């Protein structure tokens, strides 16, 4: 098992510490048992709280969104044997758009995966939350809708790690 990156370790510890107050603030603290069914309640809360994916992005630094990201990832980690949290730090030598570059979705984004390589089956919990609020473009073909589903779809879909 590889050593956890210090930024990821700090983020995980912060979310775990914030979780009890977060659960109380939802008004349904008994719901948060890390079961797949609890994601249905989280999905409802996210939809009630945010109008679209941009609103989630605007609230990215909020405790609600950060703990929600962690919670989705924790449920995925617990139901997928061998899955673990992974994190790719910034790499000043990375080419633009490549993993490690500031433009890459992989960079500094906690994910749950079967291994550290970006190609391994994984879920990016932030993308799963954003996908809840992303409307398919009616002018686009089915490939766009399929891509959106791969990024998350309903939160229970995020439990299936995808390559």
């Amino acid at each position: 098992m590889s050593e956890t990156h210090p930024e990821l370790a700090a983020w995980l510890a912060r979310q775990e510490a914030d979780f009890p107050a977060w659960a109380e603030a939802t008004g349904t603290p008994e719901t948060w048992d890390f079961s797949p069914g609890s994601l249905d309640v989280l999905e409802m809360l996210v939809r009630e709280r945010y109008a679209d994916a941009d609103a989630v992005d605007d609230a990215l630094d909020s405790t609600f969104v950060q703990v929600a990201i962690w919670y989705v990832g924790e449920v995925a980690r617990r139901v997928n044997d061998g899955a673990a949290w992974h994190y790719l730090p910034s790499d000043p030598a990375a080419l633009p758009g490549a993993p490690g570059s500031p433009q890459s979705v992989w960079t500094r984004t906690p994910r749950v995966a079967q291994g550290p390589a970006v190609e391994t089956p994984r879920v990016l919990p932030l993308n799963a939350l954003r996908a809840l609020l992303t409307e398919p473009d009616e002018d686009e073909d089915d490939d766009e809708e399929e891509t959106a589903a791969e990024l998350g779809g309903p939160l229970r879909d995020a439990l299936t790690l995808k390559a």
Side-chain angles (χ1 to χ4, degrees):
M1 182 92 156
S2 64
E3 192 172 312
T4 302
H5 189 277
E7 288 177 27
L8 176 60
W11 182 83
L12 290 169
R14 189 169 48 255
Q15 305 329 306
E16 188 170 358
D18 287 347
F19 175 67
W22 178 92
E24 284 293 329
T26 67
T28 59
E30 68 284 350
T31 300
W32 311 109
D33 60 1
F34 299 96
S35 68
S38 66
L39 294 178
D40 296 340
V41 177
L42 181 56
E43 183 173 333
M44 179 190 71
L45 290 173
V46 169
R47 290 179 188 274
E48 286 175 357
R49 205 175 264 254
Y50 304 104
D52 54 31
D54 289 338
V56 171
D57 290 342
D58 291 344
L60 188 58
D61 292 331
S62 72
T63 300
F64 181 85
V65 171
Q66 288 296 303
V67 175
I69 290 168
W70 172 80
Y71 189 82
V72 170
E74 273 300 295
V75 174
R77 184 185 68 78
R78 292 171 188 211
V79 301
N80 287 282
D81 191 37
W85 283 99
H86 295 280
Y87 180 85
L88 184 65
S90 292
D91 178 0
L95 296 173
S101 73
Q103 302 85 5
S104 173
V105 66
W106 304 109
T107 305
R108 303 188 72 211
T109 303
R111 69 185 188 283
V112 172
Q114 295 291 3
V118 296
E119 299 84 13
T120 61
R122 78 276 178 193
V123 61
L124 278 80
L126 172 59
N127 284 359
L129 293 177
R130 293 182 85 251
L132 290 174
L133 305 167
T134 302
E135 294 295 324
D137 188 344
E138 293 177 15
D139 297 331
E140 295 294 327
D141 60 20
D142 289 338
D143 289 343
E144 283 287 320
E145 193 170 320
E146 189 173 307
T147 300
E150 288 173 6
L151 293 177
L155 289 183
R156 283 197 199 211
D157 290 348
L159 298 179
T160 304
L161 303 183
K162 299 170 179 85

mmCIF file of all heavy atoms in Angstrom, residues 5 15 35 39 53 84 118:
data_model
loop_
_atom_site.group_PDB
_atom_site.id
_atom_site.type_symbol
_atom_site.label_atom_id
_atom_site.label_comp_id
_atom_site.label_asym_id
_atom_site.label_seq_id
_atom_site.Cartn_x
_atom_site.Cartn_y
_atom_site.Cartn_z
ATOM 1 N N HIS A 5 -0.587 10.734 0.580
ATOM 2 C CA HIS A 5 0.002 12.060 0.393
ATOM 3 C C HIS A 5 -0.418 12.949 1.568
ATOM 4 O O HIS A 5 -1.579 12.898 2.005
ATOM 5 C CB HIS A 5 -0.474 12.659 -0.938
ATOM 6 C CG HIS A 5 0.235 13.907 -1.291
ATOM 7 N ND1 HIS A 5 -0.131 15.127 -0.777
ATOM 8 C CD2 HIS A 5 1.311 14.121 -2.086
ATOM 9 C CE1 HIS A 5 0.681 16.047 -1.243
ATOM 10 N NE2 HIS A 5 1.570 15.469 -2.032
ATOM 11 N N GLN A 15 -12.230 16.197 7.116
ATOM 12 C CA GLN A 15 -13.615 15.805 6.816
ATOM 13 C C GLN A 15 -14.153 14.864 7.884
ATOM 14 O O GLN A 15 -15.312 14.988 8.305
ATOM 15 C CB GLN A 15 -13.722 15.149 5.438
ATOM 16 C CG GLN A 15 -13.186 15.955 4.273
ATOM 17 C CD GLN A 15 -13.297 17.444 4.406
ATOM 18 O OE1 GLN A 15 -14.363 17.988 4.646
ATOM 19 N NE2 GLN A 15 -12.172 18.131 4.232
ATOM 20 N N SER A 35 -24.059 3.551 4.308
ATOM 21 C CA SER A 35 -24.708 2.548 3.465
ATOM 22 C C SER A 35 -25.033 3.176 2.111
ATOM 23 O O SER A 35 -25.187 4.398 2.003
ATOM 24 C CB SER A 35 -26.008 2.066 4.117
ATOM 25 O OG SER A 35 -26.963 3.118 4.132
ATOM 26 N N LEU A 39 -26.983 7.437 0.454
ATOM 27 C CA LEU A 39 -26.667 8.350 -0.648
ATOM 28 C C LEU A 39 -27.929 8.945 -1.270
ATOM 29 O O LEU A 39 -27.879 10.034 -1.838
ATOM 30 C CB LEU A 39 -25.831 7.644 -1.712
ATOM 31 C CG LEU A 39 -24.428 7.219 -1.260
ATOM 32 C CD1 LEU A 39 -23.720 6.489 -2.387
ATOM 33 C CD2 LEU A 39 -23.620 8.403 -0.770
ATOM 34 N N ALA A 53 -24.541 22.587 -11.201
ATOM 35 C CA ALA A 53 -23.159 22.223 -10.888
ATOM 36 C C ALA A 53 -22.310 23.446 -10.586
ATOM 37 O O ALA A 53 -21.403 23.379 -9.744
ATOM 38 C CB ALA A 53 -22.559 21.417 -12.032
ATOM 39 N N ALA A 84 -9.340 2.481 -2.217
ATOM 40 C CA ALA A 84 -8.713 3.388 -1.251
ATOM 41 C C ALA A 84 -8.756 4.802 -1.808
ATOM 42 O O ALA A 84 -8.974 5.015 -3.002
ATOM 43 C CB ALA A 84 -7.265 2.976 -1.004
ATOM 44 N N VAL A 118 -4.149 6.856 -12.678
ATOM 45 C CA VAL A 118 -5.405 7.503 -13.062
ATOM 46 C C VAL A 118 -6.270 6.610 -13.941
ATOM 47 O O VAL A 118 -7.464 6.830 -14.057
ATOM 48 C CB VAL A 118 -5.173 8.877 -13.745
ATOM 49 C CG1 VAL A 118 -4.529 9.846 -12.779
ATOM 50 C CG2 VAL A 118 -4.366 8.750 -15.012
#
